[in-house]
Amino acid sequence: MYSKNDVAKRPPMGWNSYDYYNTMVTEEDVKRNADFMAEHLKMYGWEYVVVDIQWSDPAAGSLCPQVQYVPFTRLCTDEYSRQIPDPVRFPSSKDGKGFAPLAEYCHKKGLKFGIHIMRGIPRQCCHDHAKILGTDVTADQIANPFSVCKWNGDMYGIDCTKKDAHKYYDSVFALYAQWGVDFVKVDDICNTNFYKENPYSAEKEIEMIAAAIEKSGRPMVLSLSPGPAVIEKAWHMEKYANMWRITDDFWDDWRLLKAMFERCEVWQKHVGNGNWPDCDMIPVGKLGYGWNKVSRKTNFTPDEEITMFTLWSIFRSPLILGTELPELDERTLSIIQNEEVLALNASSHGACQVMRNERQTVWASCGEGCPAKGMDVFIALFNLSDEDGEVAVNLSDVPYLNGSGTYRVRDLWNRRDMFPVEGDAELSLSVNKHGAVLLKLSRK
């Protein structure tokens, strides 16, 4: 029996095309990044290759995206109102093959394949009165014309009160199952408060999509964007999705990274069992090639990158790289190939914020089976200030340590053993500004 929680037993790890290519990614680009992942990252758990927005748009990249989206784009669709890949950018999709050949390319390398979609049905299909597979209704008859994304005008929302409305999503995800899709990122749907005036626009569409995935017979990770998701709807996200954005688009800006600590604190009790609050893609390496074809290096300093990976890992956010993988430097590769840190993301639990002020914050979690005696405890020390300095925590305040006793200490980023420490002592270490130290404490 299908269970959505079995699809993502650990936080998904992979690559998404958006941060580097914006709307312009091609089949060749996807294969190049898949090749790199298969050769250099797969053995560390990185597996999803995700094609982001506008893959069905034949005009993608010819204009600035803000111009493309007004009022809406003529997308490539089939006779049943379903988007299909632009055959110019994805030549293997011709003759009705869709993304099946590209998905198979990834599968043969031991990887998984994913795509991005906007919530709803293409507006062009509604204006053309296009068919819906297996029904006698047309696209315009199931659409909500008052439900249009605020930043991309290509789609109308689906009105779940209309006859056979759910059958559109059923047909879409049946097609994705035929293609071999493993991961679907649905946009304009995560923060259901965007559409208070249209109560059927987003929340009910999440439910229709989840049901359509189950009916398709193919397990697919359901990722919802953008955020911030509202904590009051945590129960709904946990019931129907695998991952959901807790932030708006995250980019390489220290202010956004610093703000993420508060977001993670809000969501820390809703992590695990196939449910993964999502801190968004990881903007490292080179970014922003996009429609202007000019890339740049991430604005994050090396210490800020360590802080980002440390928080994402101990909180157990999905790890989705947004960059051109073959252009990663050796330093960044050493970060994303650190199996000790990735194991923390994959199998720890109970992550919580121990303390936070303007200068520092401390997080803790524990290994599988914790807090039973003998299990590992992980502690992350973050320097939030603009100066190097000490970050301190009284270990008696750290959950899972069980009070007194002697612990071995290992620095996971530097892969070295440190001094032993007593479980009721104060732990104080020097941490670079905007940097982090990630420790594993094991009972001696």
Side-chain angles (χ1 to χ4, degrees), residues 338-350:
N338 187 316
E339 63 274 10
E340 295 182 67
V341 176
L342 295 176
L344 167 66
N345 178 263
S347 60
S348 63
H349 67 97

Side-chain angles (χ1 to χ4, degrees), residues 71-246:
F72 63 85
T73 303
R74 298 291 300 190
L75 306 172
C76 297
T77 59
D78 68 9
E79 62 179 313
Y80 297 115
S81 307
R82 302 176 297 187
Q83 295 176 78
I84 57 176
D86 168 28
V88 175
R89 286 188 294 140
F90 299 95
S92 71
S93 71
K94 294 177 181 178
D95 302 321
K97 295 186 179 78
F99 271 130
L102 188 53
E104 183 181 12
Y105 183 90
C106 293
H107 293 158
K108 285 182 175 179
K109 291 181 174 292
L111 305 174
K112 297 181 179 179
F113 179 73
I115 58 175
H116 166 289
I117 61 171
M118 297 298 299
R119 172 183 65 89
I121 189 166
R123 288 172 67 181
Q124 72 190 55
C125 296
C126 299
H127 289 262
D128 295 342
H129 306 287
K131 297 176 182 178
I132 304 299
L133 181 65
T135 76
D136 58 1
V137 301
T138 54
D140 55 298
Q141 293 175 307
I142 66 168
N144 181 350
F146 301 101
S147 177
V148 178
C149 176
K150 299 179 187 301
W151 62 90
N152 181 319
D154 290 346
M155 316 291 277
Y156 285 136
I158 301 294
D159 186 341
C160 74
T161 66
K162 299 293 181 66
K163 176 189 174 183
D164 289 337
H166 68 281
K167 291 186 178 180
Y168 174 68
Y169 276 127
D170 290 350
S171 72
V172 167
F173 282 87
L175 179 64
Y176 297 165
Q178 292 173 22
W179 288 350
V181 171
D182 306 294
F183 181 112
V184 182
K185 173 184 174 182
V186 185
D187 208 338
D188 186 40
I189 202 169
C190 186
N191 188 338
T192 56
N193 279 359
F194 283 164
Y195 301 101
K196 288 181 179 179
E197 69 278 14
N198 297 306
Y200 299 116
S201 288
E203 187 170 310
K204 296 301 181 183
E205 288 190 72
I206 293 172
E207 296 173 17
M208 286 191 285
I209 289 168
I213 292 174
E214 183 173 355
K215 291 174 188 174
S216 79
R218 183 176 181 83
M220 301 181 205
V221 172
L222 176 55
S223 169
L224 305 181
S225 284
V230 292
I231 191 65
E232 295 82 3
K233 295 291 185 179
W235 68 271
H236 194 264
M237 302 293 176
E238 291 173 345
K239 184 174 182 179
Y240 294 106
N242 299 108
M243 46 189 282
W244 53 90
R245 285 262 295 277
I246 62 174

Side-chain angles (χ1 to χ4, degrees), residues 18-43:
Y18 185 77
D19 282 0
Y20 189 77
Y21 290 102
N22 198 291
T23 64
M24 293 182 60
V25 71
T26 68
E27 182 170 337
E28 180 182 351
D29 298 326
V30 175
K31 288 182 175 179
R32 183 170 59 254
N33 281 274
D35 291 346
F36 186 91
M37 182 182 291
E39 183 176 354
H40 300 283
L41 300 177
K42 183 179 71 172
M43 63 287 291

Side-chain angles (χ1 to χ4, degrees), residues 50-65:
V50 182
V51 179
D52 209 270
I53 193 168
Q54 302 301 114
W55 45 264
S56 66
D57 180 1
S62 61
L63 297 171
C64 173

